[in-house]
Amino acid sequence: MTMADIEESYRSLIHCINEQRWQHLPRYMHAHVVKNGQDITPESYAAEIKSLGGKVEVIADALTVDRESRQRLGATVLVKFTPAGTKEGAEVIGRTISFMEQHFVWFTEGKVSKILTLADRDEMQRQLSNPQASYDADLISHEPPPSTSSGAKLSARELEERYRAYIGCINAQAMETDLHKFCHAQVIHNTRTLTVDEYRLLIQEAFTAIPDIAFDLHTVVADEQAQRVAARIEFAGTPVGIMAGAKPNGGGVSFCEHVTYRFDGGRIARVWSIVDWTSYRAQLAQQQ
């Protein structure tokens, strides 16, 4: 199966959802799929979406594809949800809530066999709690194509090696001396333009709050054509300081991030990140 086939299969699955052609889901999904660690079927997947109570539109923003025959991709998608009634205690009839998700999707024999998804629930909650909230999606597809004049274009293997070395630099807490080797002098992180030192301090906040935190790479997908890397990072540690509004209580936490990077001339220029702060806060709240 070619990478183009994988992309087409994923986009066709999204079209089925948008057009509510639930009977066609088995064309693109196996009879049993593992989604976020749970076994689902095409029928239960359709029921899950219907149970949201409203209209769901999923727009594929950008696909980061493993083009070395490992049959997997990373996807950023814009979700537009128009509830039919009250949602999480807010009256939202007639309002459309928009937010980003990042997916990792595996294929077996041409059909989806495993999915990991992560939604920007903080953005979702912000819009639910504020009827006047506006939202301007930060779309990868609006980015200019990779530059041909800013240095070498890395192969998929080189992208992954460079990215793993970048995470190694973070875990070794060698960012003060080495982070500039992996990043441009300015990095755009979720619409914020930061100097490399400001970007270092943003990452350092995690070590300040959780001194024993480890950045564990669960999944890495490198796309030579797009000069992008999509990754799922899993974190574990014991908080000692406040982070994301949650106070430490002596207990450990584990949570994850889905993140996509654009490389330019072999270094990170753009970062689109979703962190599962909802899970992080919930774990600390349960332990209190």
Side-chain angles (χ1 to χ4, degrees), residues 138-151:
D138 183 22
L139 300 177
I140 296 176
S141 55
H142 289 180
E143 282 285 294
S147 172
T148 58
S149 60
S150 57

Side-chain angles (χ1 to χ4, degrees), residues 17 42 44 50 115 123 125 152 193-194 218 253 258:
I17 294 169
S44 66
K50 292 177 187 178
I115 310 172
E123 177 57 38
Q125 187 58 47
T193 300
L194 306 172
H218 176 279
V253 295
H258 285 193

Side-chain angles (χ1 to χ4, degrees), residues 14-34:
I14 287 176
H15 290 324
C16 283
I17 294 169
N18 290 338
E19 296 167 8
Q20 299 183 22
R21 292 186 285 111
W22 313 118
Q23 72 277 16
H24 293 163
L25 290 179
R27 295 181 182 179
Y28 311 107
M29 298 173 62
H30 279 280
H32 292 275
V33 174
V34 178

Side-chain angles (χ1 to χ4, degrees), residues 198 216 259:
E198 289 170 334
D216 180 32
V259 57

Side-chain angles (χ1 to χ4, degrees), residues 121-140:
R121 293 189 61 84
D122 279 6
E123 177 57 38
M124 188 190 315
Q125 187 58 47
R126 185 185 73 87
Q127 293 178 50
L128 286 170
S129 61
N130 179 8
Q132 306 305 317
S134 61
Y135 179 64
D136 185 16
D138 183 22
L139 300 177
I140 296 176

Side-chain angles (χ1 to χ4, degrees), residues 158-288:
E158 289 169 333
L159 280 167
E160 181 167 347
E161 289 175 351
R162 179 67 59 86
Y163 178 66
R164 289 186 180 276
Y166 158 77
I167 293 297
C169 164
I170 292 173
N171 278 326
Q173 298 192 51
M175 293 180 288
E176 192 164 355
T177 56
D178 293 348
L179 192 63
H180 71 280
K181 298 176 183 177
F182 306 100
C183 301
H184 280 267
Q186 286 192 329
V187 176
I188 302 176
H189 179 275
N190 287 355
T191 74
R192 294 174 59 199
T193 300
L194 306 172
T195 66
V196 70
D197 279 338
E198 289 170 334
Y199 184 51
R200 173 181 61 81
L201 291 173
L202 178 67
I203 300 170
Q204 186 63 45
E205 288 176 3
F207 288 96
T208 301
I210 312 174
D212 62 345
I213 194 171
F215 287 54
D216 180 32
L217 287 174
H218 176 279
T219 304
V220 178
V221 178
D223 188 328
E224 177 180 350
Q225 180 176 312
Q227 289 294 284
R228 284 198 303 266
V229 169
R232 175 182 169 94
I233 307 173
E234 297 186 342
F235 307 102
T238 303
V240 300
I242 297 174
M243 187 165 68
K247 296 180 179 179
N249 58 13
V253 295
S254 59
F255 59 108
C256 70
E257 175 184 21
H258 285 193
V259 57
T260 302
Y261 305 81
R262 179 173 65 80
F263 282 70
D264 195 353
R267 291 187 293 167
I268 294 168
R270 260 313 239 119
V271 184
W272 294 267
S273 165
I274 299 175
V275 179
D276 190 4
W277 294 124
T278 299
S279 173
Y280 177 82
R281 297 185 193 104
Q283 289 173 68
L284 292 179
Q286 288 172 359
Q287 295 163 5
Q288 290 177 353

